[in-house]
C-alpha cells in the first residue's frame, strides 16, 4: 500500500552519521541524549549531517483556585533546529508538550516542573526525528524555503512568553 | 584700463603684426602686457583700435598713425590676468574699454589669497572692483565652485 | 562631494559675485555650501568676508552631522554654518521627529532656542491635512545641547489638533541621546483598594553600567510607597533588583483597615462581628525581587534569585507585578516566592547543576517551616558514546530536604545505563537497554494520627532490562507524505525495596502521559520506581500535505504484570491495564493549529481532556486552552477544586489603528474567573493609547474580586506610560 520502511535499503540511511552539537540547559542535555539514540540509525538520503538545536520553554499556570493558586501547569518546549548536510540545510521548529497537576507542596511542585521539562524534551526528540525523516524522505527535501509551522501563534495576553532554556534568567 | 589706475600699457611679445586696414595689432608669443599693477600674460593678444577717419587729405602713414584709441584687447591661449590680490586664468580674455570690463572665459580659475573660485565665465568691472563668475548654463551640471578659507577657525568646531 | 577640511567653506553655485568694495561674496542659483560635514543649501547666500557672517535666503536647508535637517526662509549663521538666527525655522530630528518654530536662534554649543515652537514625532502629511496625531505647542522651547534636554514653556498638548491639557513647564530628554537621568512619564491609575494613584518615576543613570529608577507613589486611600528598580552590569554578568517599602496597616479590597479576631483570622465584615476586634497595626512592609546571572568560564555559570515579602498579601494590596516570573534555574507556582543560589556546568556530553533554595508561601495556611530548605539539590549526567557498542549514561543526583517542622528526607541516587540501537532487516529498529540504580535514603518521617514516627537509613537497588522495537514507515503520495511508526516496549525491573515504604517527595501527583508513553523508566530521577514486567505499545503518525496542512496522531497503552496500589488511580499506573492515551494535532501553516490529548478508560469514557488551539487569520488572533479532569480522577489525589478550566484570548484589528482585545481565565466548575479583561487600543506609528478593564473573582482573605481600569499610553520618542495593573 505504498509504505516503505524509512531505514529500508531504498532510503540509504548511514548509521551514526549525524553529529549533534551541545544543546544548552538541562532539558537540552536530555534532548541531546534522546537524539543520540533516535538518530543512531542515521537519516534517509543523508550520509553525513550536523544538527544544531536551541530550546525555548513556556509554562502556563492554570491559576484557577480560589486563593489564586494554580492547580495545573502546561509546559511547552519549543525547539528550533538546523540540520546541515553536504546537499543542503533544513531548518524548522517542533515542539513538545506535557502538563501536570500542581502539587501543593512547593518542593514537589518545583520537582514536577523540572520533571515536566525533561518529559517535554523526550517528546521533542521523537517529534523532531519524525519531522526530519518526513522531510528528508521527500524529493524536494532541500528545495525552496521550508514552511516553518509556527504551531502556536504569538497571541496577545499576559500568558508568560517563551524564555530561552540554558540562560536561566533573561538578563 | 586694465587696472584701476590709468596710464600707458606696456606690451612685450615675440612678434607684433600691425594690420592698418583692419586697425588691428596682433602680438604673438608669450605676450606680457602691464598697466600699473595689473598684468596680462597670454599666447596671443589682439588689440582693436577705433577707426580714425583720416582727416581730409591726410593719408595713413606710419605704424599706428591711422588708428584711434584702443577699443578692445582680445587675449587668447592660456590667458592670465593678475593683480596684486587676485589672479585669474582662462582660455580667452576680452577687455572692453567702453564699459571698462574684462571678460575671461573657458576653465576660469580665480585665486585670491587662499580662496579659489572655479567657473566658466569671469566678468570683472575694473572700475567698481566687482567680479562675477558664472557657470556655462549650456553644459548641464556645470557649476561655479569655490573654496573660501575662513579665519583660522578658533578651534571651536 | 569633496570633503572640505575643517576650516574651509566649500561653495557651489550657478553664479558667484565677488564685491571687493563691501567685502562680500554673493552666490546665487541653488547654492550649496559645505563646512566640515555640515551642509547648507539655499537660493542665495551672501558671505561677508569681514564679519564672517553667512546669510542664506530662500528655502534654506541646513543638514547637521547628526542627521538633523533644519529648514528656514532666511537664516544668518556664522561661517561655520553653526550658530545664528533663522526665521520660519523647522528641523527634522534623526528619528524623524519634527520641530518647527517662528524663529530659531542657535548658539555656539549647538543649543537651539525656538520661539512659538511645535514638536511632534508623528507624520505631518497631506491626507490628514497636516495635523499630526499628537503635538506639543510651546511659547518657547530650548533644546539644550549640554544637558541634552528639550524644555518647553507654556506648553499645550494637542491631540489631533485639539488642545488637551496645558503645562506651564515641560521637559523631556533629547531623543537622540541614549541614557539621560531625568523624570520619566508619571504613572496615574485608580483602584478600589488604593484610591487614586500617582507615581512619578525618576531615572538615574548612575554610571555607564548601572542605573536605578526611583518610584515614589502616593494613594488617596492609603499611605504612600517607595519603589526602587536597580540594574547593574558586570564584566561577567548582570544583576537586577526591584524593591518597595510601605509603612501602613493591612487593608482590604476597598482600602479599609483589616480587623482580626483573637485567633488571628480576618473578619470580612467587622460591622456585624460581636467579638473583640484587633485592628492590624501600622508597620514597615516591603518586598524584594532580585536576580543575578554570571558566567564563570566557558563551561561554568552561576546565579541567584531572592524573592521575599513581609506579608502574604503585600504584593496583591499594592498591585506589585512580577511575582511569578522565572528568575533562575528553578521557578515555582503561583503564590509562592522562591529564593535560590545555583551553579551550572555544561559541556557537549555532560551536564551538572547544583542549587539550594527556600520557599516563602503566600497562600492561606502556608507555613514556611513546613516547606523546608533544600541543601543541596544536584543533578549530574555524563554520556559516553561508544559508537556501534552503544551509549552509556551515568546519572547522579542528591535531594536533601530539611524541614523545621515535619519530615526530613535526604536521598542520594546514582545510576548507570547502557542502550544501543540496531537496524534489523526491513528497517525495523531494535533498541535494547539495561540500567542499574542505587538510592541511599536517610529520612525522618514524623508520625501522624495513623502512622508513628519512622527514622531510617537504607539503600535501595533497582535493576532494569528493557527493549523497544519501532518500525518507521513512509508513504509518499502525490498529495501528501504520510509517516507511520508502530512502537512496542517491554521492560522488567527488580527492586530491593518495594514502592510505598520510602518517602515520596517529588512524585506525589505523577501521571503517566503521552510524552512518556514508550519510556521504559519514566521515574529515572524520582522517588517512585516501577517494578515487575510492563509492556507499552502504540502507533505514532504524521501526514504533511503539500498545501501546508499537517496532521499528527498518537495512541498508546501500557500493561503491567500486576496491580500496584502504591500508585494512585490518577497516575494511570495503578492497574494492570492503563487508560488509553490519545494525542492528535492539526496545523495549517501559521494560520491555525489545534492540539489535543485525551485519556480514555477501557470503555472509552473520557478521563482527561486537554486542548490547545490558536488562530491567526485576517484581522483576528485568538487562542484557547482548555482542560478537564473526570470526577474519579480529580476525586482521588488531585484536589477537585481545579478539575475544569479554560483560557481564552483574542485580539481583533477593527481598523489598522484600532484594536479590540479580550482575555479570560475561568474555572468552569466553580464558574469563577481568575481574570477577565477587555481592552481597546488606538495606535499609529507615533503613539498608542490603551484602555483595559479587568475583573477577577479571586479573593484571598479580604483582598480580591474587584474591577480595575488600566490606562496606558505612549508617545514615540517621549516614552511609554503604563499604569501598573491596579485592581
Amino acid at each position: 500500500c505504498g509504505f516503505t520502511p524509512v531505514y529500508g535499503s531504498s532510503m540509504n540511511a548511514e548509521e551514526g552519521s549525524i553529529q549533534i552539537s551541545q544543546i544548552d540547559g538541562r532539558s537540552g542535555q536530555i534532548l541531546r541524549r534522546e537524539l543520540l539514540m533516535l538518530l543512531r540509525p542515521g537519516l534517509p538520503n543523508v550520509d553525513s549531517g550536523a544538527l544544531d538545536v536551541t530550546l525555548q520553554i513556556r509554562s502556563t499556570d492554570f491559576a484557577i483556585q480560589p486563593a489564586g493558586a494554580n492547580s495545573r501547569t502546561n509546559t511547552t518546549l519549543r525547539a528550533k533546529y538546523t540540520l546541515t548536510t553536504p546537499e543542503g540545510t533544513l531548518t524548522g521548529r517542533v515542539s513538545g508538550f506535557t502538563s501536570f497537576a500542581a502539587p501543593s507542596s512547593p518542593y514537589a511542585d518545583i520537582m514536577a516542573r523540572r520533571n515536566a521539562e525533561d518529559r517535554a524534551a523526550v517528546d521533542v526528540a521523537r517529534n523532531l526525528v519524525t519531522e526530519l525523516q518526513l522531510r528528508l524522505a521527500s524529493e524536494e527535501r532541500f528545495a525552496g524555503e521550508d514552511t516553518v509551522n509556527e504551531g502556536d501563534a504569538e497571541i496577545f495576553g499576559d500568558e508568560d512568553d517563551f524564555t530561552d532554556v540554558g540562560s536561566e534568567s533573561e538578563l | 584700463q586694465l587696472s584701476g589706475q590709468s596710464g600707458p600699457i606696456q606690451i612685450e611679445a615675440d612678434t607684433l603684426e600691425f594690420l592698418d586696414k583692419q586697425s588691428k595689432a596682433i602680438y604673438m608669443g608669450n605676450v606680457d602686457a602691464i598697466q600699473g599693477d595689473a598684468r596680462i600674460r597670454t599666447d596671443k593678444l589682439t588689440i582693436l583700435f577705433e577707426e580714425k577717419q583720416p582727416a581730409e587729405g591726410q593719408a595713413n602713414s606710419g605704424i599706428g598713425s591711422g588708428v584711434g584709441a584702443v577699443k578692445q584687447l582680445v587675449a587668447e591661449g592660456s590667458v592670465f590676468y593678475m593683480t596684486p590680490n587676485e589672479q585669474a586664468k582662462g582660455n580667452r580674455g576680452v577687455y572692453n574699454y567702453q564699459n571698462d570690463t574684462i571678460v575671461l572665459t573657458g576653465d576660469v580659475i580665480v585665486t585670491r589669497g587662499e580662496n579659489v573660485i572655479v567657473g566658466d565665465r569671469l566678468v570683472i568691472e575694473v572700475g567698481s572692483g566687482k567680479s562675477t563668475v558664472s557657470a556655462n548654463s549650456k553644459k548641464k551640471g556645470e557649476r561655479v565652485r569655490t573654496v573660501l578659507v575662513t579665519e583660522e577657525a578658533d578651534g571651536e568646531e | 562631494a569633496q570633503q572640505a577640511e575643517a576650516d574651509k567653506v566649500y561653495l557651489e553655485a550657478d553664479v558667484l559675485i565677488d564685491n571687493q568694495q563691501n567685502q562680500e561674496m554673493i552666490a546665487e542659483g541653488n547654492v550649496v555650501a559645505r563646512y566640515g560635514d555640515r551642509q547648507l543649501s539655499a537660493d542665495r547666500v551672501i558671505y561677508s568676508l569681514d564679519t564672517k557672517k553667512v546669510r542664506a535666503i530662500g528655502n534654506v536647508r541646513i543638514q547637521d552631522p547628526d542627521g538633523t535637517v533644519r529648514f528656514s526662509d532666511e537664516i544668518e549663521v556664522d561661517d561655520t554654518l553653526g550658530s545664528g538666527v533663522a526665521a520660519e525655522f523647522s528641523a527634522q530630528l534623526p528619528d524623524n521627529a519634527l520641530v518647527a518654530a517662528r524663529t530659531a536662534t542657535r548658539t555656539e554649543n549647538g543649543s537651539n532656542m525656538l520661539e512659538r515652537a511645535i514638536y511632534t514625532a508623528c507624520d505631518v502629511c497631506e491626507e490628514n491635512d497636516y495635523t499630526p496625531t499628537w503635538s506639543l505647542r510651546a511659547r518657547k522651547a530650548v533644546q539644550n545641547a549640554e544637558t541634552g534636554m528639550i524644555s518647553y514653556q507654556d506648553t499645550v498638548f494637542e491631540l489631533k489638533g485639539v488642545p488637551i491639557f496645558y503645562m506651564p513647564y515641560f521637559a523631556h530628554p533629547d531623543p537622540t541621546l541614549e541614557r539621560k537621568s531625568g523624570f520619566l512619564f508619571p504613572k496615574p491609575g485608580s483602584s478600589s483598594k488604593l484610591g487614586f494613584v500617582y507615581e512619578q518615576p525618576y531615572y538615574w543613570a548612575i554610571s555607564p553600567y548601572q542605573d536605578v529608577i526611583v518610584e515614589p507613589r502616593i494613594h488617596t486611600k492609603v499611605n504612600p510607597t517607595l519603589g526602587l528598580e536597580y540594574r547593574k552590569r558586570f564584566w561577567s554578568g548582570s544583576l537586577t533588583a526591584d524593591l518597595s517599602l510601605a509603612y501602613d496597616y493591612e487593608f482590604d479590597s476597598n482600602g479599609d483597615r483589616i480587623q482580626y479576631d483573637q485567633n488571628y483570622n480576618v473578619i470580612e465584615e467587622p460591622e456585624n462581628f460581636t467579638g473583640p476586634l484587633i485592628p492590624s497595626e501600622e508597620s514597615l512592609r516591603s518586598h524584594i525581587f532580585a536576580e543575578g546571572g554570571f558566567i564563570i568560564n566557558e563551561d561554568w555559570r552561576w546565579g541567584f534569585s531572592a524573592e521575599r515579602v513581609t506579608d502574604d498579601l503585600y504584593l496583591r494590596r499594592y498591585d506589585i507585578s512580577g511575582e511569578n516570573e522565572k528568575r533562575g534555574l528553578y521557578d515555582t507556582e503561583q503564590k509562592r516566592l522562591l529564593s535560590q543560589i545555583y551553579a551550572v556546568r555544561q559541556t557537549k556530553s555532560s551536564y551538572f547543576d547544583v542549587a539550594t533554595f527556600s520557599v516563602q508561601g503566600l497562600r492561606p495556611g502556608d507555613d514556611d517551616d513546613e516547606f523546608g530548605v533544600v541543601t543541596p539539590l544536584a543533578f549530574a549526567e555524563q554520556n559516553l558514546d561508544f559508537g556501534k557498542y552503544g551509549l552509556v549514561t551515568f546519572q547522579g543526583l542528591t535531594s536533601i530536604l530539611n524541614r523545621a517542622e515535619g519530615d526530613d528526607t535526604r536521598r542520594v541516587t546514582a545510576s548507570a545505563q547502557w542502550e544501543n540501537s540496531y537496524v534489523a532487516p526491513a528497517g525495523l529498529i531494535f533498541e535494547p537497554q539495561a540500567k542499574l540504580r542505587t538510592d541511599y535514603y536517610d529520612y525522618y518521617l514524623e508520625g501522624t494520627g495513623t502512622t508513628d514516627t519512622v527514622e531510617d537509613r537504607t539503600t535501595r537497588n533497582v535493576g532494569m532490562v528493557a527493549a523497544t522495537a519501532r518500525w518507521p514507515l513512509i508513504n509518499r503520495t502525490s498529495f501528501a507524505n504520510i509517516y507511520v511508526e508502530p512502537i512496542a516496549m517491554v521492560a522488567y525491573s527488580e527492586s530491593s525495596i518495594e514502592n510505598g515504604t520510602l518517602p515520596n517527595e517529588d512524585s506525589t501527583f505523577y501521571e503517566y502521559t503521552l510524552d512518556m508513553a514508550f519510556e521504559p523508566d519514566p521515574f529515572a530521577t524520582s522517588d517512585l520506581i516501577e517494578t515487575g514486567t510492563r509492556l507499552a505499545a502504540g502507533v505514532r503518525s504524521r501526514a504533511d500535505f503539500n498545501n501546508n496542512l499537517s496532521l499528527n496522531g498518537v495512541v498508546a497503552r501500557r500493561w503491567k504484570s500486576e496491580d500496584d496500589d502504591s500508585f494512585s488511580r490518577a497516575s494511570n499506573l495503578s492497574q494492570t491495564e492503563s487508560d488509553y492515551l490519545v494525542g492528535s494535532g492539526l496545523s495549517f501553516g501559521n494560520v491555525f493549529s489545534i492540539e489535543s490529548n485525551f485519556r480514555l478508560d477501557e470503555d472509552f469514557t473520557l478521563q482527561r481532556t486537554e486542548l490547545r488551539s490558536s488562530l491567526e487569520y485576517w484581522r483576528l488572533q485568538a487562542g484557547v486552552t482548555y482542560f478537564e479532569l473526570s470526577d474519579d480522577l480529580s476525586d482521588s489525589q488531585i484536589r477537585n477544586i481545579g478539575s475544569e478550566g479554560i483560557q481564552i484570548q483574542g485580539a481583533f484589528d477593527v481598523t489598522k489603528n484600532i484594536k479590540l482585545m479580550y482575555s479570560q481565565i475561568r474555572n468552569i466548575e466553580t464558574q469563577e474567573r481568575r481574570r477577565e479583561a477587555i481592552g481597546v487600543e488606538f495606535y499609529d506609528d507615533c503613539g498608542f493609547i490603551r484602555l483595559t478593564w479587568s475583573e477577577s473573582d479571586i479573593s484571598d482573605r479580604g483582598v480580591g474580586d474587584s474591577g480595575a481600569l488600566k490606562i496606558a499610553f505612549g508617545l514615540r520618542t517621549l516614552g511609554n506610560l503604563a499604569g501598573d495593573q491596579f485592581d
Side-chain angles (χ1 to χ4, degrees):
Chain A
C1 59
F3 278 96
T4 56
V6 169
Y7 294 99
S9 51
S10 68
M11 297 279 190
N12 51 52
E14 265 299 309
E15 278 202 49
S17 54
I18 308 293
Q19 303 305 324
I20 307 167
S21 49
Q22 175 173 327
I23 308 173
D24 281 343
R26 176 199 155 89
S27 39
Q29 164 70 24
I30 287 161
L31 172 61
R32 184 169 183 278
R33 184 225 306 156
E34 293 294 317
L35 290 174
L36 279 176
M37 276 314 291
L38 293 172
L39 290 176
R40 235 164 176 65
L43 282 170
N45 308 325
V46 166
D47 38 38
S48 79
L51 180 64
D52 288 288
V53 180
T54 55
L55 284 176
Q56 287 184 317
I57 188 159
R58 169 174 66 186
S59 65
T60 320
D61 288 342
F62 255 69
I64 52 174
Q65 286 202 31
N70 59 318
S71 59
R72 196 159 190 88
T73 301
N74 290 354
T75 302
T76 309
L77 198 62
R78 188 169 64 183
K80 291 187 179 127
Y81 66 85
T82 311
L83 176 74
T84 14
T85 72
E87 294 84 22
T89 52
L90 277 186
T91 59
R93 213 165 76 149
V94 286
S95 51
F97 171 82
T98 188
S99 81
F100 59 92
S104 63
S105 115
Y107 178 73
D109 173 78
I110 292 172
M111 285 305 110
R113 274 171 195 271
R114 182 169 89 165
N115 190 279
E117 281 176 26
D118 303 350
R119 291 161 60 162
V122 172
D123 198 24
V124 164
R126 288 197 186 278
N127 296 343
L128 175 55
V129 173
T130 302
E131 175 155 316
L132 290 177
Q133 287 168 347
L134 247 178
R135 292 179 69 182
L136 291 170
S138 61
E139 266 68 29
E140 59 307 323
R141 40 190 167 279
F142 293 120
E145 178 43 37
D146 52 77
T147 55
V148 174
N149 65 38
E150 293 297 314
D152 36 23
E154 279 7 310
I155 309 162
F156 150 83
D158 46 22
E159 40 125 0
D160 8 24
D161 289 323
F162 279 91
T163 57
D164 299 335
V165 171
S167 59
E168 259 59 38
S169 50
E170 308 88 7
L171 295 180
Chain B
Q1 338 64 330
L2 298 184
S3 69
Q5 313 94 339
S6 57
I9 306 173
Q10 289 163 296
I11 302 175
E12 289 163 15
D14 297 350
T15 68
L16 167 60
E17 193 187 339
F18 203 85
L19 308 171
D20 251 356
K21 303 270 173 316
Q22 302 153 27
S23 47
K24 196 190 275 187
I26 301 172
Y27 296 82
M28 300 279 282
N30 44 60
V31 181
D32 189 350
I34 300 167
Q35 185 198 25
D37 57 11
R39 181 175 187 173
I40 289 184
R41 299 194 66 257
T42 175
D43 298 344
K44 173 185 173 198
L45 182 66
T46 315
I47 301 177
L48 303 163
F49 298 94
E50 300 294 350
E51 255 91 15
K52 191 166 149 213
Q53 298 313 330
E56 299 72 20
Q58 199 194 18
N60 295 350
S61 59
I63 299 173
S65 59
V67 288
V70 175
K71 186 171 79 173
Q72 205 178 43
L73 300 181
V74 176
E76 283 152 322
S78 58
V79 180
F80 287 88
Y81 168 70
M82 283 163 283
T83 62
N85 49 30
E86 186 180 35
Q87 288 80 34
K89 171 201 153 301
N91 299 346
R92 188 169 181 280
V94 172
Y95 173 71
N96 266 316
Y97 269 79
Q98 294 94 341
N99 47 33
D100 203 3
T101 60
I102 300 170
V103 176
L104 217 56
T105 51
D107 304 333
V108 171
I109 302 176
V110 184
T111 49
R112 175 176 303 120
E114 286 182 317
N115 295 345
V116 176
I117 306 170
V118 172
D120 190 59
R121 192 166 179 282
L122 166 66
V123 175
I124 302 174
E125 287 146 30
V126 181
S128 69
K130 180 173 168 226
S131 49
T132 307
V133 178
S134 54
N136 173 343
S137 54
K138 283 190 287 311
K139 278 212 224 90
K140 210 179 72 52
E142 183 63 56
R143 303 270 275 150
V144 175
R145 287 191 301 283
T146 321
V147 176
L148 306 174
V149 175
T150 57
E151 288 315 285
E152 293 73 56
D154 39 25
E156 131 245 37
E157 218 14 61
Chain C
Q2 170 229 16
Q3 176 63 33
E5 288 87 17
D7 56 359
K8 285 194 169 50
V9 175
Y10 172 82
L11 205 63
E12 208 178 90
D14 293 346
V15 172
L16 186 85
I17 303 149
D18 170 10
N19 200 326
Q20 272 160 5
Q21 254 139 8
N22 42 36
Q23 287 292 316
E24 255 184 6
M25 263 200 181
I26 303 161
E28 284 177 352
N30 38 63
V31 181
V32 173
R34 211 168 283 115
Y35 177 81
D37 43 23
R38 178 175 289 134
Q39 178 170 318
L40 175 144
S41 52
D43 298 345
R44 195 158 175 271
V45 171
I46 302 152
Y47 174 57
S48 78
L49 296 169
D50 46 19
T51 66
K52 292 287 173 267
K53 280 285 175 240
V54 177
R55 216 149 56 78
I57 300 136
N59 45 63
V60 181
R61 183 178 183 280
I62 299 183
Q63 172 125 18
D64 283 339
D66 67 0
T68 311
V69 180
R70 291 175 279 146
F71 307 91
S72 176
D73 287 355
E74 189 184 329
I75 196 163
E76 194 189 293
V77 280
D78 61 17
D79 52 15
T80 65
L81 309 183
S83 56
V85 181
E88 296 312 324
F89 166 83
S90 72
Q92 180 103 35
L93 302 179
D95 55 7
N96 63 46
L98 182 65
V99 174
R102 258 301 163 279
T103 66
T105 339
R106 189 178 167 94
T107 57
E108 288 303 324
N109 61 17
S111 296
N112 282 319
M113 206 276 290
L114 314 171
E115 297 288 339
R116 290 204 303 290
I118 176 166
Y119 174 87
T120 180
C122 304
D123 297 344
V124 183
C125 41
E126 220 182 330
E127 70 252 19
N128 50 25
D129 58 52
Y130 302 113
T131 48
T133 317
W134 58 266
S135 59
L136 282 171
R137 202 181 285 280
R139 182 178 51 76
K140 184 163 174 259
V142 177
Q143 184 186 17
N144 186 320
E146 257 111 37
T147 65
M149 297 293 279
I150 304 181
S151 59
Y152 304 80
Q153 278 144 35
D154 298 336
T155 319
V156 175
F157 177 77
E158 284 180 356
L159 202 59
K160 280 263 183 246
V162 173
I164 297 289
F165 52 82
Y166 163 81
M167 290 173 281
Y169 175 83
F170 172 72
H172 64 85
D174 183 336
T176 56
L177 304 177
E178 315 92 25
R179 278 154 42 105
K180 272 313 301 161
S181 296
F183 285 102
L184 299 179
F185 249 56
K187 294 185 180 176
S190 82
S191 117
S192 56
K193 304 194 287 290
L194 306 163
F196 178 74
V197 181
Y198 181 85
E199 179 177 320
Q200 178 51 61
Y202 177 82
Y203 175 77
W204 173 27
I206 307 167
S207 74
Y209 43 82
Q210 235 184 142
D211 57 35
V212 71
I213 301 179
V214 182
E215 285 162 331
R217 193 163 86 174
I218 50 168
H219 324 90
T220 48
K221 284 190 178 175
V222 288
N223 293 344
T225 62
L226 177 67
L228 282 171
E229 277 177 52
Y230 173 71
R231 294 186 309 177
K232 178 164 186 184
R233 184 164 290 286
F234 298 85
W235 172 79
S236 66
S238 55
L239 161 114
T240 64
D242 296 353
L243 0 96
S244 70
L245 293 168
Y247 184 79
D248 208 337
Y249 46 73
E250 289 163 307
F251 48 85
D252 61 15
S253 8
N254 27 39
D256 308 330
R257 192 173 199 144
I258 289 267
Q259 306 288 342
Y260 287 101
D261 62 14
Q262 283 95 337
N263 28 46
Y264 212 68
N265 27 40
V266 176
I267 307 299
E268 304 265 341
E269 290 93 18
E271 328 71 80
N272 37 42
F273 177 76
T274 53
L277 288 174
I278 312 158
S280 79
E281 337 89 8
E282 294 199 335
S283 74
L284 191 62
R285 301 173 190 281
S286 70
H287 99 284
I288 175 162
F289 290 151
E291 65 180 283
F294 305 91
I295 311 252
I296 301 169
N297 61 28
E298 203 208 339
D299 300 337
W300 282 93
R301 54 186 163 80
W302 76 278
F304 73 93
S305 79
E307 292 176 356
R308 267 285 175 267
V309 78
T310 48
D311 43 275
D312 285 3
L313 295 164
Y314 175 83
L315 299 172
R316 192 83 207 283
R317 286 201 170 92
Y318 292 102
D319 295 305
I320 293 167
S321 57
E323 181 235 313
N324 200 23
E325 280 166 22
K326 182 166 184 168
R327 290 189 167 88
L329 190 58
Y330 293 103
D331 67 332
T332 177
E333 51 193 325
Q334 307 262 350
K335 300 289 173 218
R336 290 275 162 73
L337 301 183
L338 177 65
S339 302
Q340 65 188 304
I341 297 180
Y342 62 91
V344 177
R345 175 181 184 281
Q346 183 167 18
T347 64
K348 184 170 174 184
S349 57
S350 77
Y351 176 87
F352 165 75
D353 69 35
V354 61
T356 173
F357 54 74
S358 78
V359 174
Q360 178 184 13
L362 304 181
R363 301 180 187 174
D366 274 353
D367 170 1
D368 295 357
D369 296 342
E370 281 169 16
F371 296 155
V373 175
V374 181
T375 48
L377 176 65
F379 170 81
E381 176 171 319
Q382 171 73 51
N383 304 126
L384 301 172
D385 193 342
F386 295 100
K388 57 184 171 41
Y389 299 107
L391 177 70
V392 172
T393 303
F394 296 106
Q395 245 185 23
L397 56 92
T398 70
S399 145
I400 317 280
L401 188 53
N402 300 313
R403 293 187 172 87
E405 294 158 14
D407 311 345
D408 292 341
T409 57
R410 292 170 282 273
R411 166 166 68 99
V412 178
T413 299
S415 72
Q417 171 184 292
W418 168 85
E419 49 189 332
N420 204 347
S421 166
Y422 301 94
V423 182
L428 188 74
I429 309 290
F430 177 68
E431 292 163 343
Q433 194 180 66
K435 182 167 185 176
L436 259 179
R437 165 179 166 172
T438 65
D439 302 309
Y440 170 72
Y441 273 94
D442 168 3
Y443 58 92
Y444 162 81
L445 299 180
E446 204 156 81
T448 59
T450 53
T451 65
D452 42 25
T453 308
V454 173
E455 187 171 356
D456 195 359
R457 280 198 191 80
T458 177
T459 307
R460 170 175 68 182
N461 297 314
V462 184
M464 180 191 81
V465 282
T468 309
R470 52 193 184 90
W471 196 29
L473 303 165
I474 280 187
N475 181 357
R476 293 201 303 278
T477 69
S478 58
F479 58 93
N481 290 337
I482 304 159
Y483 175 95
V484 170
E485 180 185 28
I487 303 182
M489 183 278 297
V490 62
Y492 171 77
S493 48
E494 280 276 341
S495 163
S496 59
I497 302 177
E498 290 309 318
N499 264 339
T501 57
L502 293 173
N504 172 10
E505 289 279 3
D506 57 19
S507 324
T508 44
F509 290 140
Y510 183 84
E511 187 183 359
Y512 167 64
T513 50
L514 257 183
D515 41 270
M516 278 293 176
F518 309 106
E519 292 307 305
D521 175 15
F523 296 102
T525 60
S526 316
D527 282 327
L528 285 181
I529 51 169
E530 239 188 333
T531 55
T533 325
R534 58 240 183 229
L535 176 72
V539 181
R540 298 179 63 249
S541 66
R542 171 171 161 174
D544 285 357
F545 296 83
N546 32 28
N547 62 359
N548 216 310
L549 173 70
S550 167
L551 298 173
N552 63 64
V554 185
V555 62
R557 196 177 199 198
R558 200 176 181 101
W559 295 267
K560 293 165 69 113
S561 46
E562 71 269 351
D563 291 355
D564 181 347
D565 54 18
S566 69
F567 287 104
S568 70
R569 168 75 184 93
S571 76
N572 201 7
L573 291 171
S574 58
Q575 286 145 358
T576 52
E577 279 173 352
S578 81
D579 292 343
Y580 290 101
L581 297 174
V582 176
S584 68
L586 175 147
S587 75
F588 189 73
N590 300 343
V591 173
F592 174 72
S593 84
I594 178 164
E595 275 135 39
S596 54
N597 43 50
F598 310 98
R599 177 174 154 181
L600 305 103
D601 60 17
E602 59 279 340
D603 42 39
F604 299 106
T605 52
L606 270 175
Q607 296 296 329
R608 176 166 53 80
T609 320
E610 258 162 326
L611 189 72
R612 304 175 308 283
S613 97
S614 69
L615 171 74
E616 194 173 336
Y617 178 68
W618 185 51
R619 296 192 197 161
L620 179 66
Q621 291 170 328
V624 175
T625 313
Y626 168 81
F627 86 94
E628 193 228 354
L629 290 179
S630 72
D631 295 345
D632 59 8
L633 280 200
S634 53
D635 274 353
S636 56
Q637 252 184 343
I638 302 173
R639 295 173 311 289
N640 63 4
I641 311 162
S643 64
E644 188 180 6
I646 189 163
Q647 180 170 349
I648 309 161
Q649 297 161 51
F652 180 70
D653 298 328
V654 178
T655 69
K656 64 177 174 39
N657 295 105
I658 301 174
K659 188 175 196 165
L660 288 178
M661 294 163 277
Y662 176 79
S663 84
Q664 178 178 167
I665 304 177
R666 183 179 200 80
N667 178 339
I668 295 175
E669 201 190 340
T670 61
Q671 289 305 327
E672 265 180 350
R673 292 164 307 165
R674 163 91 175 75
R675 183 172 180 271
E676 181 175 16
I678 182 154
V680 63
E681 177 169 333
F682 305 96
Y683 62 95
D684 63 11
D685 51 22
C686 63
F688 72 90
I689 179 160
R690 181 189 318 136
L691 301 162
T692 320
W693 171 261
S694 66
E695 279 176 7
S696 134
D697 299 337
I698 300 265
S699 89
D700 178 3
R701 288 164 281 184
V703 179
D705 71 28
S706 49
L709 177 67
K710 176 178 163 189
I711 312 156
F713 74 89
L715 308 174
R716 200 173 64 78
T717 71
L718 294 190
N720 285 5
L721 165 105
D724 286 337
Q725 163 59 40
F726 296 113
D727 64 7

